[in-house]
């Protein structure tokens, strides 16, 4: 296979002093224009490749195979990034008319080999592709918490698979102008993530929340911009960037950058300082912000909640709870008042999200004043199943973002810091709830928040496990329990159950349960109805299939199952089963979370 790179041939100093004169018109060999042998064999778009190997887990690794005809898969795209400023790390981003893709390479100064605006063709067969904390990329195989995750490919591997073609032409790089709400809405679907991840975009009419500060003087920093309606997006800045000490400008302007992704949210990566257009560098706060100033944009005083005594009449402020620190001594039945500012989508507080739509319903974050975006200045609040969760969670109630709430619960360590657990009561801007009251009649008997708490005591029973697969049901920290028999670019016929522990309903009347779920990639909704079912049985008995709510269309949006009655099983010992099947023609994906069993004792 032909390999080529951009070569500059230095002028040959061919000349001599002769006859007392000199000739400065030396001939220079022409610049060599690289040509890619792969160009003629391009057979797949970036969007097609990403769709082919997309999985719902945050971290996973797949090996790119060949086409149905047995040919290597070749993609092409124009380089839309540069690591010259240091804000983009060991990565080259390419994009075509359908999408963009991050290529992670274990090398520095990649901008010299893969120039901004230059065409690149890649033989992706045998390369690794997958997720690095939800960002899809080409790269190498690494590990995260003992599970496979993407990392950088060796530079030699990159050189063996990647070819440049032609000279750089920055004018041909396509920058798409987008609005923040549209970008945020794209998070709700796989199609949206595939389309926008790694794309070079421009967002107009925004202002920096941290105007007057430096971008990232001592550590990587999240610098948010917002539009006229208050919609926000993170501008991620590296402490290795050559503009790290620059002052964040005031005024309103445009930001250009790579639309990267981390955890459950977007983070734009500026290519260099010229990524800021139209801002007024002189429009800074009247009093420059310094590290010693008592007030910063992340510590506003306007609207701050006053300190209190921890009672209903005088609740603690969030600032008081934050000051208790990670070594907080548990305090039951305490009241706290604060602003609902965000939530934690996974298990790490540093991945907190301060925007909606939300992807988790089991917790919220409170701040002492509006506009806070530093997780260290917030407290996480656990939302047990019931009215408190129903009333407060941002997944079902995105309008709660920014509202003031008073809560009752146990102040204790949560997400590794001071927080509230066992939250039993809330009053949100005049509304309220009572302890332990579910949506219908009855009290909570059992619950399993799969995404946050894992598989628990539920068991998996594989009736038909396809050859070459090691599982059908699998726990995901992003989506709960996930069932699919689509693997290695192939649909498989499978039959597998996710079965609850035995629930003792002795003395319980009117039992029912609820859960949340999402369905995608089934042949149709009718197919999903028969291939993703829920059933109940007396311990050791036969299964009875139950009815529950289905989505209006296939996709990744979670919906409520509705209240599923098992009143006929009152007084008995029962099990609940989630039953997934598939065919060799089509294998869908079913995601299940937040199971709760209720009843009256």
């Amino acid at each position: 296979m032909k390999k080529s790179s951009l070569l500059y041939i230095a002028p040959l100093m061919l000349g001599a002093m002769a006859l007392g004169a000199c000739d400065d018109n030396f001939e220079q060999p022409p610049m060599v224009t690289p040509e890619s042998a792969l160009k003629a064999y391009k057979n797949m778009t970036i969007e097609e490749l990403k769709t082919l190997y997309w999985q719902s887990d945050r971290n996973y690794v797949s090996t790119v195979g060949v086409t149905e005809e047995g040919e290597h898969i070749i993609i092409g795209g124009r380089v839309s990034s540069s690591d010259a400023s240091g804000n983009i790390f060991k990565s080259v981003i390419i994009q075509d008319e359908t999408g963009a893709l991050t290529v992670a390479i274990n090398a520095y100064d990649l901008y010299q080999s893969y120039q901004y605006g230059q065409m690149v063709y890649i033989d992706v067969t045998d390369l690794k592709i997958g997720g690095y904390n939800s960002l899809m990329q080409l790269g190498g195989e690494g590990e995260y918490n003992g599970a496979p995750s993407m990392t950088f490919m060796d530079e030699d591997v990159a050189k063996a698979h990647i070819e440049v073609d032609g000279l750089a032409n920055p004018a041909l790089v396509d920058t798409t102008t987008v609005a923040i709400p549209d970008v945020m809405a794209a998070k709700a679907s796989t199609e949206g993530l595939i389309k926008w991840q790694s794309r070079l975009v421009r967002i107009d009419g925004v202002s920096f929340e941290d105007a007057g500060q430096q971008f990232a003087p001592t550590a990587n920093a999240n610098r948010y911009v917002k539009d006229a309606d208050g919609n926000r997006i993170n501008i991620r800045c590296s402490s290795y960037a050559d503009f790290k000490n620059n002052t964040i400008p005031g005024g309103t302007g445009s930001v250009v950058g790579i639309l990267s992704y981390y955890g459950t949210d977007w983070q734009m990566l500026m290519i260099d300082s010229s990524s800021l257009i139209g801002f007024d560098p002189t429009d800074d706060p009247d009093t420059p912000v310094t590290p010693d100033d008592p007030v910063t944009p992340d510590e506003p005083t306007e609207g701050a909640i006053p300190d209190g005594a921890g009672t209903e009449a005088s609740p603690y402020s969030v600032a008081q709870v934050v000051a208790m620190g990670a070594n907080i001594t548990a305090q039951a039945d305490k009241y706290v008042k604060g602003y609902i500012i965000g939530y934690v989508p996974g298990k790490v507080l540093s991945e907190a999200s301060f925007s909606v739509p939300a992807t988790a319903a089991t917790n919220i974050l409170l701040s002492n004043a509006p506009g806070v975006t530093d997780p260290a200045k917030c407290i996480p609040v656990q939302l047990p199943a019931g009215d408190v969760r129903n009333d407060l969670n941002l997944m079902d109630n995105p309008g709660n973002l920014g509202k003031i709430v008073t809560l009752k619960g146990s102040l204790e360590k949560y997400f590794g810091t001071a927080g509230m657990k066992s939250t039993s009561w809330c009053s949100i801007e005049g509304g309220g709830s009572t302890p332990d009251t579910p949506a219908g009649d009855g009290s909570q008997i059992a619950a399993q928040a799969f995404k946050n708490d894992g598989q628990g005591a539920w068991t998996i029973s594989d009736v038909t496990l396809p050859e070459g697969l090691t599982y059908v049901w699998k726990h995901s920290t992003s989506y709960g329990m996930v069932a699919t028999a689509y693997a290695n670019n192939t649909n498989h016929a499978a039959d597998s159950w996710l079965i609850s522990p035995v629930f003792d309903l002795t003395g319980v009347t009117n039992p029912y349960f609820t859960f949340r779920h999402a369905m995608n990639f089934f042949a149709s909704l009718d197919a999903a109805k028969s291939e993703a079912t829920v059933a109940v049985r007396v311990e050791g008995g036969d299964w009875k299939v139950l009815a529950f709510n289905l989505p209006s269309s296939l996709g990744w949006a979670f919906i409520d199952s509705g209240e599923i009655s098992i009143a006929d099983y009152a007084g008995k010992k029962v099990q609940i089963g989630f039953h997934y099947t598939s065919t060799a023609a089509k294998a869908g994906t079913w995601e299940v979370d937040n199971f709760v069993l209720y009843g009256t004792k």
Side-chain angles (χ1 to χ4, degrees), residues 204-225:
D204 294 330
V206 294
S207 59
F208 277 95
E209 294 183 344
D210 296 331
Q213 297 192 54
Q214 294 174 308
F215 279 99
T218 59
N220 298 342
N222 296 327
R223 301 303 188 187
Y224 285 82
V225 295

Side-chain angles (χ1 to χ4, degrees), residues 137 164 181 260 278 461 596:
Q137 63 182 38
V164 296
S260 190
S461 176
V596 186

Side-chain angles (χ1 to χ4, degrees), residues 218-249:
T218 59
N220 298 342
N222 296 327
R223 301 303 188 187
Y224 285 82
V225 295
K226 60 183 178 181
D227 62 18
D229 296 321
N231 300 300
R232 306 161 69 247
I233 192 168
N234 177 18
I235 309 300
R236 181 68 172 175
C237 301
S238 170
S239 60
Y240 291 97
D242 60 12
F243 56 83
K244 66 178 184 178
N245 293 320
N246 291 4
T247 300
I248 300 174

